[in-house]
Structure formats: structure tokens, C-alpha cells
Amino acid sequence: MHLCIMPQATTAILLFSRSAHEEALAKSFGAGPAGDRRVAEALIRRTESTLQRSGLPVLRSDEHSQRGLTFGERLGNAITDAFATGIDHLIVVGNDCPDLTARHLRAAARMLENGRNILGPDHRGGAWLLGLQRHNFDRDRFVRLSWESDHLLEELRALYPAAESLHRLADLNQIKDLRRHWWRLRAYFAHLAVLLLPPRQARSAGLQPVSILGQFSSPLRGPPELA
């Protein structure tokens, strides 16, 4: 785990994310090997930039430091390691929610410091953010939740019944998710337009796609205006 903790800090962020190479292999965004990696790199860079703007200390957990056979074990161990650094409150995020803002993170930090756990629900029955307190974090129960399923959110709410809920945001795991939300996300990912848009929209925007495993590659251009 890569640490950046100030001695006086009581709240930190844990970015639980594979490297771009491993993320592209695991999720297969549908843009071909090179395109998948570009998408993963863009999502990770966007998240890292947002975390930096929050002003909070950041811990990073990727495949080089994660331990465990299941997603739940790897996440639970990463959280345990984070609390072992001496912090009392932890905000956990992944790399797949580009609508995450520094304001969300600072609000979560305030709620945690007021003694509340936090859930940021997504649209799939999961969560884009967890806010956890060291004093009531039960690793064994946590790792047994139905991670990577549409039952996760209800199980998290049962585990933390008094948790505050943030706004529901979209997570992005497939290229169709990025296309669906392109109108909002194009300012962040303009350089991915030729990978994300169907051929008709790409051509109408003045792009010249070249097929790569059914997707596109071309010199980087600005974001298209969708009808």
C-alpha cells in the first residue's frame, strides 16, 4: 500500500484500484487491448485528480499490495492495513465513478468526523463510496458481504443501519456505460471520443475511426457534440 499520511491526520482516503493494465484485463471495456488500457488510464487519472483536490491524505491499494483470494478479502485487508496506520476515519473509493467530486469527499470527511458511517449508492445495487469508522469496522463480517453483486448495498445497510447516504451516482464498468453518460462525461474524456462513440456519431462529429476489434482508433480530437 502506498501511503501519504500527515502525522496529525485522522481521516484519509483509500483508493482501492488495480493498475490500468490489470484493470483493462479484468473489465475488458470492449475497445480492444490498447483501447481498454486507455479507458482505464483515463478513469484512474480522473479519480486521482479528484482525490488530490480534496486536500485529504490518500492511501493507494493496487494488485501489488492487495492480499486475499476474493474481492471482499482484498478490500477488507486493505481497509485493515489503512486503519493500522493510525487513522480513525476512512473514505474508500474505486476508480469507476467519474462523477465523484472533491466536494463529495470533503462532505464525507465531515460526516465521518461527526461519528457517522457513510454509503454512496450506485445504480447497480452497489456503492461508489464507503465511509468507515475504525472503532466499529468488523473485518470478518465485512469480507463476507456479497461483493460484486446487486445485493451489496442492502447488505451494507444491514451492517451499518445508521449510515448516512450520499447521492446515487453511476459507476462505469463497460464501454456502454461510458457511451450512455457521454454527454456529461465528455469534458473529462474528450480524448476517448473515437473509442466510445458508434461509427455514425463519430463520423458526424468529423472523426475518422479505424476499426480495432470493432471499436475505433484515430488521432486525438476534441469532444463531439451529440444531437
Side-chain angles (χ1 to χ4, degrees):
M1 180 176 292
H2 311 295
L3 306 178
C4 180
I5 296 292
M6 296 178 288
Q8 71 276 18
T10 62
T11 303
I13 301 168
L14 172 63
L15 174 56
F16 187 78
S17 167
R18 288 173 288 240
S19 65
H21 174 74
E22 292 298 319
E23 186 76 353
L25 290 177
K27 289 191 174 178
S28 183
F29 292 98
D36 284 352
R37 182 159 182 164
R38 286 175 63 191
V39 173
E41 286 171 346
L43 288 168
I44 291 170
R45 283 197 302 268
R46 165 69 183 172
T47 303
E48 290 173 338
S49 175
T50 300
L51 303 192
Q52 184 177 22
R53 290 196 302 274
S54 76
L56 295 165
V58 176
L59 301 83
R60 175 70 182 267
S61 176
D62 61 21
E63 67 272 11
H64 300 294
S65 60
Q66 292 168 9
R67 310 183 319 280
L69 297 177
T70 67
F71 181 93
E73 289 177 354
R74 291 190 291 273
L75 179 56
N77 288 335
I79 292 169
T80 299
D81 292 345
F83 282 134
T85 66
I87 61 170
D88 295 316
H89 320 293
L90 189 65
I91 300 167
V92 184
V93 297
N95 62 39
D96 56 0
C97 184
D99 286 326
L100 172 71
T101 67
R103 182 178 296 179
H104 289 130
L105 296 167
R106 289 191 290 266
R110 289 193 296 271
M111 293 180 200
L112 284 169
E113 289 161 7
N114 287 328
R116 291 173 283 177
N117 292 308
I118 307 159
L119 299 176
D122 65 23
H123 293 281
R124 304 177 197 268
W128 55 270
L129 180 147
L130 299 176
L132 303 171
Q133 309 279 350
R134 178 169 60 171
H135 72 86
N136 64 7
F137 177 67
D138 184 333
R139 178 202 171 279
D140 291 340
R141 293 181 65 190
F142 187 84
V143 302
R144 290 197 298 268
L145 299 178
S146 299
W147 295 99
E148 301 181 291
S149 81
D150 56 7
H151 304 296
L152 177 62
L153 183 61
E154 62 187 70
E155 294 182 9
L156 284 166
R157 284 174 168 157
L159 183 59
Y160 300 109
E164 291 280 342
S165 289
L166 300 179
H167 294 298
R168 194 177 298 272
L169 297 181
D171 64 336
L172 308 178
N173 291 301
Q174 299 174 340
I175 203 163
K176 66 181 181 181
D177 299 327
L178 287 156
R179 285 174 172 168
R180 184 182 304 118
H181 299 287
W182 178 253
W183 180 258
R184 290 186 298 100
L185 301 179
R186 59 188 179 153
Y188 310 149
F189 304 125
H191 62 293
L192 299 179
V194 292
L195 293 174
L196 304 181
L197 297 180
R200 183 178 299 175
Q201 288 176 325
R203 291 190 181 93
S204 68
L207 303 174
Q208 298 299 321
V210 178
S211 177
I212 296 182
L213 298 180
Q215 302 303 327
F216 313 102
S217 175
S218 82
L220 303 184
R221 301 283 295 273
E225 296 288 335
L226 302 185

